[in-house]
Amino acid sequence: MLPISCFLPIWTSLNHALKCKGIRMVILQVIDMVKKFGGLTAVDKVSLQVEEGQIFGVIGPNGAGKTTLLNCITGAHKPTSGIVNFLGEENLAGSPPEVMCKKGISRTFQISRPFPRLTVLENVTVGAAFGAQSHARESAEERALEALEYVHFPLPEDTMAGHLNAVQLKRLDLARALAGGPKLLLLDELAAGLTEGELADIMKLIKRIRERGITIVIVEHIMKLIRGVCDTIAVLDYGKKISEGKPEEVMRDPKVIEAYLGE
Amino acid sequence: MIKSTGKASTIARTLMSRTGFSSSGIILIAILAVLPFIPPFNSEYILRWLVVGAFMAAQAVAFDLTAGFINVVNFGFAAILGVGAYTSAILANTGPHIIVQPGISPWIGIFIGAFASAFLGFILGFLTLRLRGLYAAIMAWFVGIALLGLARTLTPLTRGSLGMSPPSFFDTPSNMPYYYLALGMMITIYIVTKLVTTSHIGLAFKALGQNFDAARASGINPTFYRVFNFTLSCFFAGLLGGFYAHYFVSMTPKAIMHTSKSVETLAIAFIGGRGFLWGGIVVAFPFVFLLEYLRSALPQLPGIHIIIYGVLMILVMIYYPNGVAGFITELKKKLWRLRKPEKT
Ligand SMILES: Nc1ncnc2c1ncn2[C@@H]1O[C@H](COP(=O)(O)OP(=O)(O)O)[C@@H](O)[C@H]1O
Ligand SMILES: [Mg+2]
């Protein structure tokens, strides 16, 4: 007879595996998402599963449908068909963006969308006052200041947003999204146009945000960032998901290499 | 004792800043309050200009709530003001010229008229909801035209283009009580508007006006805030319409509700400075005086005021998009910066 303790190592490793894979909660689930613009299918039956605490990357050539996919998740676009489940709530596809924001999805835009005639602080206060945590105990201004500090915003908070440059505007977008207190943060090409130093900085920042318990989906072109921070990535090409997995595996996938060479 | 007065003064100060009364604002109001006793303003003739000034100023504030915050130019503003005027005038009617004789006091009718206008504002808010900027403005314009047409054709109630002669508020030929009534309405509308716009509601208005998609993505419900904005602005318009009816005691649809009336309000609000609220107040009085003076001095040029509005609007839009209020604010900031280094 084998002593029971013999099974113990097997049990622990099994348990560990379950924790790593199955037990972890799925926070966002996209099933068979389709978005058509007239004759063009920008997103073609894409399914994704993002687990809580993950940093999930979405890559693909220009025009692959990445931004459109984000827009369909946040409600900025009504998907032609498909299902979005978020935080245990089912069938949220087609809900308006303000509802998705209140449920805990914040985003930044590929081309930043500031409120140009408001100050930096007021811009971020909008996020804090109307986002998912709008009923928090601290005042919206306090949470806005905290978010600005968190992203190391480089300018005084009474600067008019209309006077910022593109890189500063991206930070402002990020601070506004964070101030809402989201559970899931969608970042659309946040790092475009950054210098090496700024890139390293933003990668650190993204990791810090994850440590706060915020799940992140990143759309990005810069492979260094994708390799550096993402746990899992999905590749879109002509609206279809052609590959998914760990970054280093996906980068070796011949289909992915072909899609990028074809660009 | 000392402590409590200290507390009271802090409360007064925060209330002052929330309602946007700087010390210069209070001085301005004080000057306006004593003006009717100072020659030459104490003549009935010029007092009438002051009444019109306060009336236009109040309109500009209510108009700016929509144009300067959610960025929708309400070309139907005058028509909705007319709905308030006609509602109150019809309710006050006792004569045989129209089919109903409710005989309700103007003091009650003015509020019923304001609610009627607010209701139309509510509807206009929904109608323009899916439209951005210019398209929303055009929709508001069409609604204004439709309301004007309605006032013209509902002759059993409005006597159409023949016009109505509603009763007056006061039993006196003097303009004095009307001036203080108009001034009181102007101040009340300003305070309420300022309280709303300095709260988070105002932040939502500005966010929606400056970037609609980003505002929605930040959790702002556009339906609620835009409809609320239109409703409040149009409520004030209706209130001012009631004032018009029972002050001028003579009204035709064209004289109140025509789009050119909305444009006059727009001009004062824009030259005053979009989104500042008080800009229109500062501009309205000198404007009304200038225009009335020109009208009496150059009777052979009846359209002169439109030309002046046009030229000034063009100049402001090109050289000073923030208007007079923006100019004053920047001047203050510069003076402040000049003073600061001396202190430190
Ligand atoms: N609002 C829109 N109307 C019509 N076509 C659109 C719209 N938005 C995106 N597209 C098209 O959908 C495709 C995917 O675009 P997008 O999602 O922006 O790609 P990516 O973000 O991957 O570069 C492109 O061909 C683009 O032209
Ligand atoms: Mg894109």
Side-chain angles (χ1 to χ4, degrees), chain B residues 193-209:
Chain B
T193 315
K194 195 75 190 180
L195 279 173
V196 168
T197 52
T198 47
S199 71
H200 282 167
I201 299 174
L203 201 57
F205 289 163
K206 289 185 217 163
L208 283 169

Side-chain angles (χ1 to χ4, degrees), chain B residues 20-65:
Chain B
F21 276 111
S22 59
S23 35
S24 35
I26 290 182
I27 292 169
L28 179 72
I29 297 296
I31 291 172
L32 286 174
V34 297
L35 219 48
F37 299 101
I38 300 165
F41 300 101
N42 55 357
S43 78
E44 285 298 328
Y45 183 65
I46 293 191
L47 200 49
R48 199 171 172 83
W49 297 0
L50 279 178
V51 179
V52 176
F55 174 68
M56 291 308 293
Q59 273 193 60
V61 176
F63 185 87
D64 196 34
L65 176 61

Side-chain angles (χ1 to χ4, degrees), chain B residues 154-168:
Chain B
L154 280 178
T155 46
L157 278 176
T158 64
R159 296 184 72 222
S161 315
L162 287 175
M164 292 180 73
S165 318
S168 63

Side-chain angles (χ1 to χ4, degrees), chain A residues 62 66-68 110 188-189 219:
Chain A
N62 267 324
K66 306 178 297 291
T67 299
T68 308
Q110 182 172 353
D188 198 351
E189 301 200 17
V219 167

